[in-house]
Amino acid sequence: MDEQLRARVLRESSKALDLMQKNELSPAEQDAVIADCVDNFSRYVNPGILDYRKSVSTDYTAVEWSDGGATFRDIRGREFIDCLGGFGIYMLGHRHPTVMRAVQGQLQHQALHSQELLDPMRGYLCELVAMVTPGDLQYSFLVNSGTEATEGALKFAKVYAYEKKPDHMLGVISTTRAFHGKSMGSLSVSGKREFRVPFQPLMPGSRFVPYGDADALECELQICDMIGYDIAAFIVEPVQGEAGAIVPPDDYLPRVRAICDEWDVVMIADEVQTGMGRTGKLWGVDNWDVVPDIMTMGKAFGGAVVPCGNIVVKERIFHAMFANPYLHTTTFGGNPLATAAAIGALHATLEEDIPRQAAEKGTVLKAGVQKLADEYPDLYHEVRGLGLLLGMEFLDAETGYAVSAGLFDRGVLVGGTLNNAKTIRLEPPAVISYEQIEQVLERLAETLAEVRATHRTSALVAQ
């Protein structure tokens, strides 16, 4: 590297390091950061992100700067009530003090580990997971994210099945509209063409059945048996999140459990979005008293302070990993900072009864949204969900974009997605106050009135 470039790099890194130490910025500094951020996203991150922000907000240049509880502020100091929740990350809110204290304490003596000696926080966290997960789930494999958890879960299911049938091709069944992550293995069992098609061919052996239809799963297993195709696992979300908070029939997961037992198929429950109290129970499967063979975690598992994911597995499945514990590894998974955050998150979740809060506040929020949907049948198709994983499905994507932008303008961030703007998710932290829920409903009512008026004006102009 030549000296001129080296000097430029050091100037830019020093600027960023100085900004990290500042809680308050002057108007001129705010302007400079916004300009830098927009330019950097356009030139070095992805200009498509800026285009997307233009479609779902009234200020695409808004830059996040600080947060706490159920709100965050942009660099200008404007406050937003967070009903997006990082798509499920902020179950405990932003920078929960128990999680922050755990991470700061760990950072005082060790950040990462050698990966050779035993690390105590990994042991404590895995013990706690075994204590709080349903049934006889016991052994944990810690990772960094939800998609990593899916990848590991698929491998553990396959190595278990391989021990019984080493000469067989082993497939996996998933569900339509499922979302299990975007790395190649996870994407292979995700059921949306928008995400899949550009990357095909994906991992071979993935098959799909309609979500919520246990008969379809049983029929598919019968077909696979007839043609001599062995299935290692069935992977399912207790409530489909990215698809729009789709809750299955009450008999679905219990029947899935029975079918997997009958066919000796490993049942994988993807709790990345539904876990840590999001649906009103500690784990989504707890709503139906079902015990999977493998369960994945992510998002809120790290307390929204340090990314952390996990795969917890029954002993009979994980036994295949005992002979060679390094058959599947990860460099940073289960590092001391991440395990400290997850321990803090579990402690706070139980101490503050986060599942109960999610159930009670979710009931209030859903009822309020349903009341508005009844008032606006020309805009809404359906309101659905469980706990604080709620979906507002509109009659068309244009309405979804308009509602998202209108709420943004009124200081509420919601979970519209680039590929599914027709359905907007509401995933606020469980620490959201009832006063804030009322503010969200009031601002939603104002937005819906504005969107209806705009639709009527557009219709008149079209005539």
Side-chain angles (χ1 to χ4, degrees), residues 62-390:
V63 172
E64 292 185 45
W65 189 251
S66 62
D67 62 2
T71 66
F72 67 92
R73 289 178 173 82
D74 69 13
I75 203 167
R76 302 288 194 196
R78 183 183 179 195
E79 186 175 82
F80 292 82
I81 300 175
D82 187 2
C83 286
L84 169 63
F87 296 106
I89 295 171
Y90 292 108
M91 201 61 212
L92 293 171
H94 297 251
R95 294 190 303 141
H96 190 284
T98 298
V99 185
M100 293 288 289
R101 187 165 56 250
V103 173
Q104 289 165 346
Q106 177 62 39
L107 193 56
Q108 295 305 309
H109 60 91
Q110 188 182 35
L112 299 179
H113 57 310
S114 71
Q115 304 202 45
E116 182 63 23
L117 279 66
L118 304 181
D119 44 315
M121 294 306 142
R122 182 193 301 260
Y124 285 129
L125 176 56
C126 293
E127 177 195 25
L128 290 169
V129 169
M131 293 169 70
V132 301
T133 48
D136 53 348
L137 290 165
Q138 180 176 352
Y139 287 95
S140 281
F141 187 97
L142 294 160
V143 293
N144 304 286
S145 66
T147 192
E148 266 192 77
T150 300
E151 298 281 354
L154 295 174
K155 290 180 72 174
F156 296 154
K158 286 202 168 191
V159 74
Y160 166 74
Y162 174 80
E163 282 198 334
K164 297 183 297 178
K165 299 180 179 180
D167 300 322
H168 290 233
M169 172 77 174
L170 297 165
V172 176
I173 299 176
S174 183
T175 60
T176 53
R177 301 184 70 184
F179 183 80
H180 298 292
K182 290 181 179 174
S183 53
M184 287 298 279
S186 303
L187 186 57
S188 299
V189 293
S190 293
K192 291 190 70 174
R193 76 180 310 277
E194 298 97 317
F195 301 143
R196 295 171 56 87
V197 169
F199 303 101
Q200 290 178 342
L202 299 170
M203 181 182 76
S206 299
R207 305 171 78 93
F208 293 86
V209 294
Y211 180 75
D213 188 343
D215 289 336
L217 172 61
E218 190 160 35
C219 182
E220 183 67 17
L221 287 167
Q222 290 170 351
I223 291 170
C224 289
D225 183 58
M226 288 174 63
I227 64 175
Y229 190 86
D230 291 301
I231 297 298
F234 175 63
I235 184 168
V236 65
E237 298 161 271
V239 176
Q240 285 195 328
E242 205 278 340
I246 298 175
V247 182
D250 280 337
D251 67 342
Y252 178 59
L253 289 179
R255 286 196 60 201
V256 164
R257 175 69 276 177
I259 291 167
C260 288
D261 287 340
E262 179 186 351
W263 289 89
D264 194 19
V265 167
V266 174
M267 180 184 175
I268 303 172
D270 182 339
E271 292 272 6
V272 170
Q273 190 157 185
T274 53
M276 299 295 285
R278 173 62 61 184
T279 66
K281 299 286 188 179
L282 186 56
W283 310 107
V285 293
D286 290 343
N287 288 284
W288 298 278
D289 295 321
V290 167
V291 180
D293 299 306
I294 299 177
M295 198 163 84
T296 60
M297 307 163 191
K299 293 191 183 291
F301 186 62
V305 174
V306 180
C308 189
N310 186 41
I311 313 148
V312 62
V313 190
K314 290 181 177 179
E315 182 178 9
R316 71 178 179 86
I317 307 295
F318 203 67
H319 187 271
M321 295 293 295
F322 289 175
N324 182 358
Y326 303 110
L327 191 60
H328 181 66
T329 58
T330 168
T331 300
F332 295 110
N335 69 74
L337 291 182
T339 52
I343 290 169
L346 281 171
H347 184 88
T349 297
L350 297 179
E351 184 175 53
E352 299 175 24
D353 201 351
I354 291 298
R356 177 189 58 79
Q357 291 195 54
E360 294 176 354
K361 293 173 182 177
T363 297
V364 172
L365 180 58
K366 186 179 180 183
V369 175
Q370 184 61 61
K371 183 179 178 182
L372 289 171
D374 293 340
E375 295 177 21
Y376 290 89
D378 51 324
L379 301 181
Y380 276 90
H381 173 69
E382 184 183 21
V383 176
R384 56 178 178 261
L386 200 59
L388 286 173
L389 176 53
L390 303 177

